[in-house]
Every structure is written in C-alpha cells, then in structure tokens.
Amino acid sequence: MKNKKLYEVADIMERIKISNEFIERNRRVYERLAAGIPTQGIIDSLIPDLVKLYGDYAIQINQYESDESYIALAILVADDYDVSAHMSIFSQRQRLLEKYNNQYGGATLSLMEYQYSIIANPEVHHSQAYAIRNGNVLWKRTDRRYILNTLIPELVNLYGDYVMQIVQYKTSLSDISLAMLTRGDCDDYEHALLYQKCQGIERKYNNLYEAGTLTIIEYSYDLVVNPEAHDPVTDMLRGGDILWRREENKDESK
C-alpha cells in the first residue's frame, strides 16, 4: 500500500507540472494577442529574408520559448561561419530586428546565432541549447546542391589519390546515394581506415540533416569503366551521374 501511495503522489505531481506548462503556454499566447502582434505574419515575412541574408551559412532556423521576446528565433549556422561572415551580415540582421521591434514594441523579436553542430549535439547540455533543440523548426536546408558542394571536397580530401570518380546513382536507400570508385592498389588496412572514416562522414550528414539523407558505398573503378563487366551494381553505377572525376592524362614530369 505504501508503494501505491508513492506512485499516486508522483502521478499527481506530473499532472500539476503538465497543467502549469499548459497554463504558461496559453499565457504567452494571450499576451501576444493582447499586444496585437501578428506572430505568424512576422515569421512568414522574416524567414525568407533571413535565409537570403545568411545564404549557405544557414542550416536551420528554430523558434523557441524565451523570456527575452514574444518571437525568439535561433539561426543555426554552419561550422565555417566565422567572424568575418558574422560582421558582413550583422548590420543587415540588426535592421531586420529593429524593423519589427520598432513597429510592435521592443520585446517583439529576438534573433540569435548558434552553431548547428553544437545545438544538434545531444551531449551538449545547457538551458539555451535545450530550449532551441526542443523548439519548432521553421526552416531547414535540404537542397542537394548545398549538401554536395560541401560533401564532395570532404570525400576527395579523405580518399586522396585512391578515388577516381564519385558517382551519384538512383536508389531508394536515401535522398543522395554516392559511389566512391577507387583504384585497386589500396591495401586492406588502408581500405579499412578509409571506409571507417567514410562511414563517419555518412553518419555526420545523416545527423546534420535527417536519417536517410546520404548513403555512400565503395566500388572498383576498373569494373565500372570496363564495358565487358556486367552485374546489377556496375550497370547501375555506369548509368549514374559523375559528380567528380580525377583529371587524366596529366603531365607527370611536372
């Protein structure tokens, strides 16, 4: 009986917590309505401006709960967003911020920048990261052009001279399926190291965007370019799009 009473107390406390959270959310909604702030209209006009302003640096924009403003947005940027990029964007971002705060009041809008990789990392624990992580995703970069423009140089740098071509092929496994066509002179140890690192890149992009974004396989370059070799994989890769190829007929004397 004692255990039963403890469970009942715990259940009541959980209900109180949920009820308080519901009341708090409603309070914020009523405050916004009373202040005459068209929250959705502001978001609808602001997001395209922010995406255009940040360009390829922006990966995701989240709306989260904050005591700083009625509408709190976190602009999650790529790791290469450095000080010079920030300074080039800062003044225009401030003008957007002031536009809405001047029109509807100083606590209407706040815009903060954070690295996407930090917020998306579940091992990072602090109140701001938690709030943003559990906010509403208003926009997220998903275009293949951006992903491939950052991914291809990373793969070429990893494989070095072993990679001859990178082919994108059609499959239901993922949105982007790539085949690394490699030379045959890579020994088993080197191959194992490369494959392990390649799998790490695949996981990174699937975590960065969403599961099912990227699949990477390795295959023999000699088999794919040999017209006499026929199997389901070679035929599929042979009909894919070559995204990158190693320059041939180089003057090796230079």
Side-chain angles (χ1 to χ4, degrees):
M1 293 297 293
K2 185 177 180 181
N3 287 338
K4 182 178 179 182
K5 289 182 179 179
L6 287 175
Y7 293 149
E8 288 176 351
V9 171
D11 185 55
I12 291 170
M13 295 304 294
E14 183 63 24
R15 290 182 183 181
I16 292 173
K17 178 184 176 183
I18 293 172
S19 178
N20 287 338
E21 290 176 352
F22 180 75
I23 291 170
E24 176 62 19
R25 284 197 299 271
N26 279 346
R27 182 186 68 77
R28 291 176 179 275
V29 171
Y30 293 144
E31 284 181 352
R32 293 173 190 176
L33 291 174
I37 298 173
T39 303
Q40 192 58 52
I42 292 173
I43 290 173
D44 288 344
S45 64
L46 180 59
I47 295 302
D49 287 340
L50 289 174
V51 171
K52 182 179 179 180
L53 175 61
Y54 278 83
D56 287 345
Y57 290 119
I59 293 179
Q60 187 169 310
I61 300 176
N62 283 20
Q63 182 183 10
Y64 63 101
E65 291 292 338
S66 171
D67 294 331
E68 295 180 8
S69 61
Y70 293 124
I71 305 172
L73 301 185
I75 304 153
L76 306 184
V77 296
D79 289 342
D80 61 348
Y81 183 75
D82 55 17
V83 174
S84 64
H86 168 77
M87 294 307 297
S88 68
I89 288 172
F90 179 76
S91 60
Q92 296 180 68
R93 191 195 71 184
Q94 286 302 107
R95 283 197 290 272
L96 284 174
L97 183 64
E98 291 167 1
K99 169 185 172 182
Y100 293 100
N101 284 335
N102 289 340
Q103 184 173 355
Y104 298 104
T108 297
L109 177 65
S110 62
L111 300 173
M112 303 296 291
E113 298 173 349
Y114 297 90
Q115 279 191 324
Y116 177 87
S117 57
I118 292 176
I119 300 300
N121 183 357
E123 297 180 1
V124 174
H125 298 288
H126 57 74
S127 58
Q128 194 78 342
Y130 180 82
I132 295 169
R133 198 178 294 138
N134 290 276
N136 296 322
V137 178
L138 301 180
W139 177 87
K140 188 168 186 176
R141 184 173 297 284
T142 57
D143 57 287
R144 295 185 182 186
R145 177 193 62 82
Y146 173 80
I147 296 174
L148 290 173
N149 282 349
T150 56
L151 175 61
I152 297 300
E154 190 171 2
L155 290 173
V156 171
N157 182 62
L158 171 63
Y159 277 84
D161 290 340
Y162 289 118
V163 62
M164 300 300 294
Q165 285 184 4
I166 300 177
V167 175
Q168 182 176 7
Y169 61 98
K170 294 181 179 179
T171 177
S172 59
L173 294 175
S174 60
D175 293 334
I176 301 174
S177 297
L178 301 183
M180 308 295 297
L181 305 187
T182 57
R183 291 179 356 205
D185 57 348
C186 180
D187 63 38
D188 291 342
Y189 177 73
E190 290 173 315
H191 174 79
L193 288 178
L194 287 174
Y195 184 74
Q196 184 179 23
K197 292 179 180 179
C198 183
Q199 291 298 294
I201 292 175
E202 182 181 304
R203 286 192 298 271
K204 181 180 80 171
Y205 279 83
N206 283 326
N207 291 334
L208 194 62
Y209 297 97
E210 57 186 14
T213 295
L214 177 64
T215 299
I216 304 174
I217 66 171
E218 292 181 11
Y219 210 74
S220 168
Y221 171 78
D222 292 337
L223 285 177
V224 174
V225 297
N226 181 3
E228 297 181 0
H230 291 287
D231 63 60
V233 177
T234 56
D235 291 340
M236 176 178 63
L237 298 183
R238 204 174 287 135
D241 297 323
I242 299 175
L243 303 182
W244 179 92
R245 75 170 79 226
R246 183 166 298 285
E247 295 181 21
E248 298 177 356
N249 301 321
K250 287 184 178 180
D251 184 354
E252 299 295 341
S253 64
K254 293 183 179 179

